[in-house]
Amino acid sequence: MEHPENSSEYAGLQVNSGVEQPSIVNPYLKHGRFRRRELSVGEMVEGILKGDVTILSQAVTLIESVNPDHQARAQEVINKCLPYSGNSIRIGISGVPGAGKSTSIDEFGMHVLKVKGGKLAVLAIDPSSERTKGSILGDKTRMEKLAQHPSSFIRPSPSAGSLGGVARKTRETIILCEAAGFDKIFVETVGVGQSETACHSMVDFFLLIQVAGTGDELQGIKRGIMEISDGIVINKCDGDNVDRCQMAATNFRNALHFFPMPDSGWSPRVLCYSGFYGTGVKEIFDMIYEYVDFVKANGYFDYRRNEQSKYWMYESINEHLRLNFYNNPQIKAQLSAAEQTVLAGQKTSFVAAQDLLDAYFAQLRK
Ligand code: GDP
C-alpha cells in the first residue's frame, strides 16, 4: 500500500515501502545441500587412524546412539580399531562434586602434555540422569586451558542409560581414542555410588581426589573406594588450608596401613597438592609414572588389562541380556501387573521375578 506520508503534502519526503523479509529458515538447509554425507565404516576407521578428531567425534556419537543401525556400525568401527588400541596410560580420576576434579584435570592435563608430550583424551562416566549437581563431567568449559590445547580431546559423559551402559560406551570410546593416537586417557568420574567401580574397571591407575574437611573426613569416605585407589591426593592444599590438608594426609596414610597389600604389590600413596595453583602436580605424575614402571616390570599391568577385558565381556553379555528382557513386548506388558502382585502381597518378589523369567524363556523357546 502506498505510504500516507507520500502524499503531495509532504513533498520532498519519500518513504519507501521496504523489502520483503527473508525466511528465517536457511533455504540451503531445506534442500539438504549442506547435509554431511554419512561416512562408511572404512572411511571412519581410516580417519580415526589418521588422528582426525572430527571423524573420531562422529564415531563416538555413533557409539552413544541408541539407534540399532548406528550401534551395528559403531561395533564394526570398534572392531577394526581394536588392533591399534591399548598403547596408552589410562588414569581414572574420581572425587565428590566440588573436590576440584575439573580444575585439577585442566592442570594435570597441561602438565602431562608439557612434560611427556603426546596426546590426551579426557572422557567421563556420569551415570546420574540429572547431571551431577549441575556440573557435566568432562565438560569443555570446565577445563578452559586444556580445551584449547591442540593435542587434547575432551568428551563429556554419554548420558543415556544404566551405569553399565554408560560405562561400556566410555570403555569403547577409549579404544577409538587410542587408535587415533591418544596415548594418555583420563576418565573422570564422580566419587559417589558405583561409578568409580566402573571407572576402576577400565583404567591402569585410579586416583582419588579428596579435600580436607573438619578432620573427620575418613568417616565419610567409603572403604571400598579407598581400597581400589592406587593414589589418594588431597586438593586445595593452599593458603591457610595447608595444615589441615597435611593432617588429613596423615590420617589417610594411617588408615591405609589397615588395608591388605593390593594385588599389584604397590602401596597406595597419599599426596597433597593444589589444583588451583598447580603446586604438587609434578609429584602426582611422578608417582603415576613410577607406578606404571613398577607394574609393567612385575607383570601386573598386563594382568589387570586382561582381567578388565574379561570383565567387559561379561558386562556386555549382562547388558545385552538385560535389555533384551526388558524390551521384550510380552515382558513389557506384564511388568507392571507383576509389580502390583508383589505390592499387594499376592506373590513374593522372587516368585514374581521367576514367573516373568519363565514367561520370557518360554517365549524364546517357541
Ligand atoms: P569438581 O566439581 O570436582 O569438578 O570441582 P571444581 O573443579 O569445579 O572445583 C570446585 C571449586 O573448588 C571451584 O570453586 C574451584 O575454584 C575450587 N578449587 C578447585 N581446586 C582448588 C584448589 O586447589 N585450591 C582452592 N583453594 N580451590 C580450589
Side-chain angles (χ1 to χ4, degrees), residues 55-66:
I55 294 181
L56 174 63
S57 296
Q58 285 176 32
V60 176
T61 306
L62 275 192
I63 289 182
E64 290 173 356
S65 167
V66 286

Side-chain angles (χ1 to χ4, degrees), residues 96-103 135 142 188 235-236 238 274-276:
V96 293
K101 289 182 297 301
S102 45
T103 313
S135 61
R142 293 164 63 235
E188 178 184 12
N235 190 16
K236 311 195 187 183
D238 46 48
S274 165
F276 193 79

